[in-house]
Amino acid sequence: MSTHQRILILDYGSQVTQLIARRVREAGVYCEIHPGDVDDAFIDDQPGLQGIILSGSHASAYSDDSMKVPAGVFKAGVPVLGICYGMQSMAMQLGGKVQWSDHREFGYAEVRARGHTRLLEGIEDFITTEGHGMLKVWMSHGDKVTKLPPGFKLMASTDSCPIAGMADEERGFYAVQFHPEVTHTIQGEAMLTRFVRNICGCTGDWNMPDYVSEAIERIRTQVGRDQVILGLSGGVDSSVAAALIHKAIGDQLTCVFVDHGLLRLNEAQQVMTTFADHFGMKVIHVDASAQFMGKLVGVADPEAKRKIIGKEFVEVFQVEAGKLSHARWLAQGTIYPDVIESAGAKTGKAAAIKSHHNVGGLPDTLNLKLLEPLRELFKDEVRKLGVALGLPPAMVYRHPFPGPGLGVRILGEVKHEYAELLRRADAIFIEELRKTVDPVSGKNWYDLTSQAFAVFLPVKSVGVMGDGRTYDYVVALRAVQTSDFMTADWAELPYSLLKKVSGRIINEVRGINRVTYDVSSKPPATIEWE
């Protein structure tokens, strides 16, 4: 457990609670998310507690079965910030009133800041002709506070929500009906930074250089002289975990890299070059492509493919781990969002949160203790750690790649022929994205997109090449831009770039004669096709 100053975030089931934590971390302050109904003893036991944030929720604060804020929150002697549902619960439990609103607010709103509170003072997006400071925010609520609790004053309002913010500055209690954690609230980052740094008094002691030395010392203390085994996928999380553990214990770490035949072009070679040659790590390279591809024959259902690939990975890894009888620890690249999602799934406090099983769900029969050195970090922090450890930026900032690899980017049955065609088409797409620079931003289009890849469609279309007729396969290009991957817009790539990519794929990848571009946003579509 971290010994830094901390902010405790209590989660009541909002889909954007993780964004609160990311904003707090970006302010240089350590924070943790826990279910909203923890007991008072848990709050009392929080080391270095400087403040508490109450999240939003899909529930109603006045519902009989809704979660109540632990009484210990308001007795902890630290500032508290309630957001949306958190504000409503704070109001009800401290003597105010909340009721259903006949005018719900979902989306953009303009809020008038009132009362010159410490939280909002000097923070505004524009000033009206009457001299009122206004904020551009994002609302998502059907209920509203109709009576302030004793000791609170009005902090913000809209025409349809007269109490859009409230504050009891003597006790350090603040609450807003809007969501400062989302990017749509323009001054949201400033508000959360003001709360954790100025009101809670956090000094900003959460930074990556300090974390590296702390993590190394923690790994050495935890592992001692034992041997560690790690399933290296080549993805960001397992790669950074490998680099960090190796820096801490050197040759006590053995990595197992399983090639299932569904990796990107030259990826196995790149992984071995980076980790075995450049970093001098012990890496066992297992080429199990024939084994995986054999198991996938005739399987077209996406979930069935995922389960087969995951199960096969476990079996291959278990065989290799069995050869390393001296290993006592299993290292995994579990990161903080995985921990949050698993906790939410177990407690049932959040809506539609997935279970997390790292490395395909490794069995207890391995009889290994678990080592998860990244479990306190968000993805962007993992990337910063990777750079600090000397991993190539091109690897650290690579776009997300699904665990089943190309297996879920080949629609329907997976065949060796399809994988080879897709590998080459995808490589061309990524290469051109990296080479093409946007003149306005000065960045290349790979960096301007959050995720980009090609999808193989198992259908053929008629084409003409030279003087002959062709009847070949189709690939679709997909590129999206997003800040959180919960929603995403399709990237408006330049026509000239798409034209070049299409031309290269059709001319260089024999077997493909048609290229399409996916212009679907999330929602209603997902980022991946399967």
Side-chain angles (χ1 to χ4, degrees), residues 362-413:
L362 292 169
D364 295 335
T365 52
L366 283 174
N367 295 317
L368 298 174
K369 294 178 284 186
L370 202 57
L371 178 64
E372 297 175 315
L374 309 181
R375 64 180 288 115
E376 293 181 339
L377 304 182
F378 282 97
K379 177 71 81 172
D380 55 331
E381 293 172 319
V382 171
R383 294 186 194 278
K384 291 176 184 175
L385 174 59
V387 172
L389 291 168
L391 286 173
M395 172 179 279
V396 172
Y397 287 97
R398 191 165 53 173
H399 290 178
F401 188 61
L406 301 182
V408 290
R409 290 180 179 174
I410 297 170
L411 302 194
E413 183 182 1

Side-chain angles (χ1 to χ4, degrees), residues 273-334:
T273 298
T274 298
F275 292 96
D277 298 345
H278 180 65
F279 282 102
M281 295 187 195
K282 290 191 291 186
V283 184
I284 299 172
H285 181 194
V286 183
D287 185 354
S289 53
Q291 180 176 336
F292 277 83
M293 297 301 281
K295 296 286 186 178
L296 291 168
V297 171
V299 180
D301 179 73
E303 282 306 304
K305 290 191 292 185
R306 288 178 183 272
K307 288 178 181 177
I308 288 171
I309 294 169
K311 178 176 179 291
E312 212 58 30
F313 180 90
V314 170
E315 291 186 3
V316 174
F317 187 88
Q318 194 163 13
V319 169
E320 296 301 323
K323 299 175 183 177
L324 301 169
S325 58
H326 54 285
R328 296 291 177 267
W329 294 84
L330 169 67
Q332 294 188 155
T334 306

Side-chain angles (χ1 to χ4, degrees), residues 329-358:
W329 294 84
L330 169 67
Q332 294 188 155
T334 306
I335 64 174
Y336 196 43
D338 302 334
V339 177
I340 298 166
E341 288 165 355
S342 294
K346 290 173 184 175
T347 62
K349 302 306 181 185
I353 291 182
K354 66 182 179 182
S355 298
H356 174 75
H357 304 282
N358 241 321

Side-chain angles (χ1 to χ4, degrees), residues 340-489:
I340 298 166
E341 288 165 355
S342 294
K346 290 173 184 175
T347 62
K349 302 306 181 185
I353 291 182
K354 66 182 179 182
S355 298
H356 174 75
H357 304 282
N358 241 321
V359 202
L362 292 169
D364 295 335
T365 52
L366 283 174
N367 295 317
L368 298 174
K369 294 178 284 186
L370 202 57
L371 178 64
E372 297 175 315
L374 309 181
R375 64 180 288 115
E376 293 181 339
L377 304 182
F378 282 97
K379 177 71 81 172
D380 55 331
E381 293 172 319
V382 171
R383 294 186 194 278
K384 291 176 184 175
L385 174 59
V387 172
L389 291 168
L391 286 173
M395 172 179 279
V396 172
Y397 287 97
R398 191 165 53 173
H399 290 178
F401 188 61
L406 301 182
V408 290
R409 290 180 179 174
I410 297 170
L411 302 194
E413 183 182 1
V414 177
K415 296 182 179 181
H416 178 75
E417 172 197 4
Y418 296 169
E420 287 301 314
L421 292 173
L422 179 57
R423 243 188 292 274
R424 293 163 61 197
D426 184 78
I428 290 171
F429 185 29
I430 299 304
E431 181 184 339
E432 291 300 333
L433 285 170
R434 290 189 184 278
K435 286 167 55 177
T436 307
V437 176
D438 171 50
V440 176
S441 66
K443 297 181 179 179
N444 67 55
W445 275 99
Y446 184 85
D447 291 338
L448 289 172
T449 53
S450 307
Q451 192 167 355
F453 53 92
V455 179
F456 183 87
L457 309 183
V459 295
K460 288 188 173 183
S461 69
V462 175
V464 177
M465 296 189 75
D467 295 324
R469 175 184 182 274
T470 61
Y471 191 54
D472 288 326
Y473 291 106
V474 181
V475 293
L477 306 178
R478 178 76 158 144
V480 299
Q481 294 173 315
T482 177
S483 60
D484 52 31
F485 288 90
M486 288 184 283
T487 62
D489 293 322

Side-chain angles (χ1 to χ4, degrees), residues 10 12 36 38 54 67-74 85-86 89-90 93:
L10 295 183
Y12 294 93
V38 295
L54 312 174
M67 279 195 285
K68 301 297 185 285
V69 176
V73 166
F74 304 115
Y85 176 93
S89 292
M90 182 187 290
Q93 292 179 227

Side-chain angles (χ1 to χ4, degrees), residues 20 23 53 81 83 180-181 188-196:
I20 303 173
R23 292 287 197 186
I53 299 177
L81 172 64
I83 297 173
E181 68 271 32
E189 181 179 357
M191 295 176 204
L192 287 171
T193 299
R194 172 76 60 82
F195 178 71
V196 299

